[in-house]
């Protein structure tokens, strides 16, 4: 199926620069990098960290990140909560974000979700796990602070979103693509 997807893009004349093949399956990403380098250069490894799963899915270790880098992976996409933390009531890059960027990966994140934040992030769900006590995100507009940290301090190159209006508005105001 990984090859069939690329074959479909080719048969339809899609420019490889317009394709960001993505998968939670490392083998797919490595296949595209090795077998379809024009498409594989923008292949995205979707990081499936989920501390709420049974069993929990942990973050990638430094050794695993280094191995991915040595195998040619250039872009990693962890969920937003894995890239952010709260220190002294402020949103900051997580240690994981620092590790990923320190190894030279580009970062895309997922997913900027709409949630009822009138009572803060503490009970807002999976994507807001970075602020479990609701110290930094207390209302909807506080998510602009999270976007600002993701853009300026983590340096994400993209954000998947079910509510792109907020992300697009932020990007337009900040002169980002």
């Amino acid at each position: 199926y990984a090859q069939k997807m690329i074959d479909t893009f080719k048969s339809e004349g899609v420019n490889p620069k317009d394709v960001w093949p993505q998968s939670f399956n490392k083998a797919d990403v490595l296949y595209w990098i090795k077998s379809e380098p024009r498409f594989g250069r923008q292949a995205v490894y979707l990081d499936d960290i989920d501390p709420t799963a049974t069993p929990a899915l942990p973050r990638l270790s430094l050794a695993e990140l280094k191995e991915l880098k040595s195998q040619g992976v250039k872009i990693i996409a962890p969920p937003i909560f894995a890239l952010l933390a709260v220190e002294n009531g402020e949103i900051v890059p997580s240690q994981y974000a620092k590790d990923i960027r320190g190894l030279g990966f580009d970062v895309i994140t997922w997913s900027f979700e709409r949630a009822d934040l009138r009572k803060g992030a503490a009970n807002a769900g999976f994507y807001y796990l970075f602020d479990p006590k609701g110290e930094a995100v207390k209302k909807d507009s506080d998510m602009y602070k999270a976007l600002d940290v993701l853009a300026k301090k983590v340096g994400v190159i993209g954000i998947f979103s079910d509510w792109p209006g907020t992300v697009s508005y932020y990007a337009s105001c900040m002169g980002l693509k």
Side-chain angles (χ1 to χ4, degrees), residues 86-144:
V86 174
E87 292 178 5
N88 301 317
E90 298 293 321
I91 301 170
V92 298
S94 69
Q95 184 58 52
Y96 193 45
K98 293 174 190 175
D99 291 345
I100 291 168
R101 295 294 294 159
L103 290 171
F105 288 103
D106 283 331
V107 180
I108 293 175
T109 193
W110 52 275
S111 177
F112 195 86
E113 295 285 333
R114 179 73 180 106
D116 183 355
L117 297 173
R118 290 176 293 179
K119 295 181 182 175
N123 297 309
F126 180 79
Y127 297 106
Y128 301 90
L129 292 174
F130 68 92
D131 189 11
K133 296 178 184 173
E135 295 175 53
V137 178
K138 298 178 181 174
K139 56 190 180 294
D140 289 336
S141 61
D142 287 338
M143 283 308 292
Y144 281 108

Side-chain angles (χ1 to χ4, degrees), residues 22 49 63 66 78 81 83 88 97 119 131 145 148 158 167:
Q22 56 189 309
I49 298 168
K66 288 176 182 177
F81 75 82
L83 297 173
N88 301 317
K119 295 181 182 175
D131 189 11
K145 295 175 187 174
D148 199 52
V167 175

